[in-house]
Amino acid sequence: MEAKAHLAFRWTEAPFPLQHPPTMDIHRRGSGDNPPPPPPLSQPAPSDLKLKQVRLAHPEQSLPSPPSSNGASSPVERDYFYLRSLKECVEIYEDENRGKSESLAMLSDEEVVLLADNGKVAPHALEKLFGMNELERAVRVRRAIISRSPATKTLESSSIPYENYDYSRVIGACCENVVGYIPIPLGVAGPLNVNGTSFPIPMATAEGTLVASTSRGCKALNAGGGVSTVLVGDAMTRGPAIDFPSIKVAAQAKAWVDSAEGYAEMKAAFESTSRFAKLKSLKTAMAGRTMYIRFATTTGDAMGMNMISKGTEKALDAMQARFPSMVVLALSGNYCTDKKPAAINWIEGRGKSVVAEATVLKTTVGGLCNLNVKKNLIGSAMAGSIGGFNAHASNILTAIFLATGQDPAQNVESSMCMTLMEPTNNGEDLLCSVTMPCIEVGTIGGGTVLAAQQGVLEMLGVKGAHPQQPGKNAQTLARIIASAVLAGELSLLSALAAGHLIKAHMAHKPLAGRHSCCLCPCYSG
Ligand code: ADP
């Protein structure tokens, strides 16, 4: 690798003096097609040299920008580049008189890449090796390492951003092997009146017309007095799979868990793990000699998967003391059910179960009700849907999930929704509702720790833990989501009923792959 590559580094003001004179390939380049004259090696003196960011390139490549591992380009960032040999780099890196982060601070980015390419540094461990003060450098160097592969060579100079991001919130919590972040446009629909309070509806989406369409629904709902919501359940679930030697022992264990005594013992063990986890129920089932227990618990303002997992583990320990032959196959045995379609969620609920209702004044009541029955109820029944009795609940829910740092994979069950519409006030107005039994949200933990997502939660007044009533912030967020879904349902169904969608699609040419002017999400519903 050393022999083949065209190696270069830039003389810059880096935070350490170069101890050794250059001993290998010294190359120079200018910013244009013609290379500048060779630099006088005495200027600056090697001992004064500082290394910062460098880039490795193949000789046949014409380098389009100054050689910086972050792809930055500026007239002062050109000229001379130098890379120490692998041997020298290893010597510096493995010097036992220094800590690893101190040694790495003495090496240029490109020299760290060289170490990684030769198996001396594990790319996934860069944050740990560099230390908490160099998290962005870890990301930059990882991009450079990955960019050395022909298949991924564009990463380093790509438009994937990585600078000015608070990686301290990411490391050990949100993501590993980080190479940047993905920005998603953030729009605001509404405001929408929910239980008498006006909320902006934050939506992170790349689906044109979605925000505008939801806003139109908000306006119609506000005109009728806004949305009222009820929370009819609040319990996150976990369903481990447990093996027993025989169906007989499994049945004994099931009977014990189902008994008042067993429940009390499991509950005490479960709740010993958290101030916020309050066990609500245990639902048991058997399949052969395997037993499933669906733990359902409140989780305060956290979405709760971590919390419930800890409690479940502890409760199973208590159970194990009673049934030493049992084997916990998996803490999650899919009886939960997390991130997969499942009837148990639709029937029993998971996370926050919310119903939102509103009256829409003076609208085309008959057409809307008919469409809702034929599409959302009968159409979905014909398709064998579980919880999909809606037009596009997942569109609105997922956009709000992304904006507020929720787990986007939980949109599977969280988007379960039944939309209902019926005439009211002697057929003058429309009474509509959405029933959403599984809105899985939190305002603490997970992606809610990220700065931008926290900013959105703050805007809604639900950031973090509720100071007096644990759980209230997460519940409010669930109510806002259900209400926004109702706005989205009303808007799309209204457009469909009025034939806007088809007409608009027929009448307007696609703009960049989609239609530009209708107020309906073109690929939705
Ligand atoms: P999750 O359980 O959703 O995966 P985390 O475990 O990341 O979430 O975050 C929950 C943590 O926050 C727990 O350690 C819990 O003790 C703490 N916490 C502090 N205040 C609250 C609150 N109001 N509701 C829930 N958890 C809280």
Side-chain angles (χ1 to χ4, degrees):
M1 164 125 207
E2 283 171 62
K4 282 191 215 142
H6 174 110
L7 303 169
F9 90 106
R10 184 173 64 237
W11 306 107
T12 64
E13 290 194 351
F16 64 95
L18 184 68
Q19 299 301 327
H20 309 286
T23 55
M24 61 174 295
D25 302 351
I26 299 174
H27 296 274
R28 55 197 152 61
R29 63 179 290 265
S31 57
D33 289 334
N34 301 319
L41 284 178
S42 58
Q43 192 190 15
S47 60
D48 294 328
L49 296 178
K50 312 273 183 174
L51 299 177
K52 203 179 170 192
Q53 297 162 1
V54 294
R55 166 166 158 171
L56 182 150
H58 291 283
E60 63 273 16
Q61 284 180 325
S62 68
L63 298 177
S65 61
S68 144
S69 69
N70 66 1
S73 173
S74 93
V76 291
E77 285 187 345
R78 55 181 176 156
D79 299 332
Y80 312 116
F81 304 94
Y82 167 73
L83 190 67
R84 281 174 284 212
S85 69
L86 175 61
K87 187 165 169 284
E88 285 173 298
C89 294
V90 171
E91 269 169 24
I92 293 171
Y93 181 61
E94 292 185 346
D95 189 331
E96 286 177 0
N97 297 316
R98 284 185 298 268
K100 286 285 178 258
S101 64
E102 212 184 325
S103 295
L104 286 169
M106 296 176 64
L107 297 166
S108 69
D109 285 4
E110 199 62 36
E111 288 165 339
V112 182
V113 172
L114 187 63
L115 288 175
D117 280 349
N118 286 277
K120 297 289 177 190
V121 168
H124 70 84
L126 287 170
E127 282 80 3
K128 200 172 156 210
L129 294 169
F130 279 134
M132 288 305 280
N133 292 330
E134 290 283 11
L135 295 179
E136 186 175 300
R137 187 182 183 209
V139 174
R140 188 174 67 231
V141 169
R142 182 174 295 116
R143 287 163 70 105
I145 293 167
I146 293 170
S147 300
R148 297 300 173 264
S149 153
T152 49
K153 66 181 176 196
T154 56
L155 173 63
E156 196 175 11
S157 57
S158 71
S159 51
I160 302 166
Y162 74 93
E163 289 171 305
N164 304 316
Y165 196 81
D166 185 357
Y167 291 108
S168 67
R169 300 182 190 220
V170 176
I171 306 310
C174 295
C175 190
E176 302 78 41
N177 247 2
V178 178
V179 295
Y181 54 92
I182 292 290
I184 304 171
L186 175 66
V188 175
L192 178 59
N193 184 336
V194 180
N195 296 335
T197 305
S198 190
F199 290 98
I201 306 298
M203 301 175 77
T205 181
E207 183 161 0
T209 73
L210 185 59
V211 176
S213 172
T214 310
S215 267
R216 187 175 76 158
C218 292
K219 205 169 166 191
L221 294 179
N222 289 340
V227 185
S228 57
T229 67
V230 287
L231 187 98
V232 293
D234 184 356
M236 184 42 87
T237 62
R238 194 41 118 192
I242 308 154
D243 260 1
F244 291 86
S246 66
I247 56 169
K248 204 170 159 195
V249 189
Q252 284 167 357
K254 180 175 172 356
W256 180 77
V257 175
D258 291 343
S259 72
E261 181 204 352
Y263 181 79
E265 203 171 305
M266 298 279 273
K267 184 174 165 69
F270 184 96
E271 293 183 357
S272 70
T273 58
S274 167
R275 286 178 292 153
F276 304 99
K278 302 283 174 235
L279 193 67
K280 291 286 176 196
S281 67
L282 294 174
K283 181 183 176 64
T284 56
M286 271 174 63
R289 63 187 178 90
T290 307
M291 180 185 171
Y292 298 85
I293 310 175
R294 195 172 193 256
F295 290 77
T297 178
T298 56
T299 54
D301 288 304
M303 179 273 289
M305 283 320 306
N306 281 338
M307 195 183 289
I308 190 170
S309 296
K310 280 180 212 154
T312 300
E313 207 164 18
K314 201 81 178 169
L316 293 180
D317 286 348
M319 191 177 165
Q320 180 104 52
R322 297 253 169 196
F323 300 91
S325 63
M326 79 181 218
V327 176
V328 178
L329 293 176
L331 210 52
S332 168
N334 279 8
Y335 198 51
C336 318
T337 297
D338 196 38
K339 305 175 181 176
K340 274 104 32 193
I344 198 166
N345 288 340
W346 177 238
I347 295 165
E348 303 248 322
R350 187 168 199 259
K352 277 67 180 153
S353 305
V354 180
V355 187
E357 181 186 71
T359 304
V360 184
L361 305 175
K362 300 196 178 2
T363 185
T364 50
V365 177
L368 275 172
C369 291
N370 183 48
L371 178 63
N372 190 59
V373 169
K374 299 286 166 60
K375 173 185 165 64
N376 286 345
L377 304 184
I378 301 175
S380 294
M382 292 296 289
S385 173
I386 298 172
F389 302 100
N390 61 82
H392 70 153
S394 76
N395 248 341
I396 286 86
L397 179 134
T398 307
I400 302 176
F401 263 38
L402 291 173
T404 57
Q406 309 306 316
D407 186 335
Q410 289 181 324
N411 83 82
V412 174
E413 60 271 29
S414 296
S415 297
M416 284 179 162
C417 169
M418 179 174 274
T419 299
L420 295 174
M421 294 188 169
E422 59 189 290
T424 187
N425 300 333
N426 295 321
E428 289 273 297
D429 303 325
L430 177 77
L431 184 67
C432 56
S433 67
V434 289
T435 301
M436 302 185 68
C438 306
I439 302 180
E440 297 165 8
V441 287
T443 56
I444 191 168
T448 69
V449 302
L450 299 170
Q453 287 80 342
Q454 280 200 348
V456 174
L457 290 169
E458 199 164 27
M459 176 178 84
L460 294 172
V462 295
K463 182 181 137 186
H466 191 280
Q468 286 90 36
Q469 295 164 263
K472 187 136 191 261
N473 278 350
Q475 291 172 356
T476 301
L477 180 58
R479 290 173 190 267
I480 293 170
I481 289 172
S483 303
V485 166
L486 184 56
E489 289 292 278
L490 178 65
S491 181
L492 179 53
L493 283 171
S494 302
L496 285 170
H500 286 170
L501 199 60
I502 294 162
K503 280 183 206 147
H505 284 203
M506 300 297 281
H508 296 93
K509 289 182 185 153
L511 179 68
R514 62 177 53 228
H515 306 276
S516 60
C517 49
C518 64
L519 272 182
C520 303
C522 294
Y523 300 115
S524 307

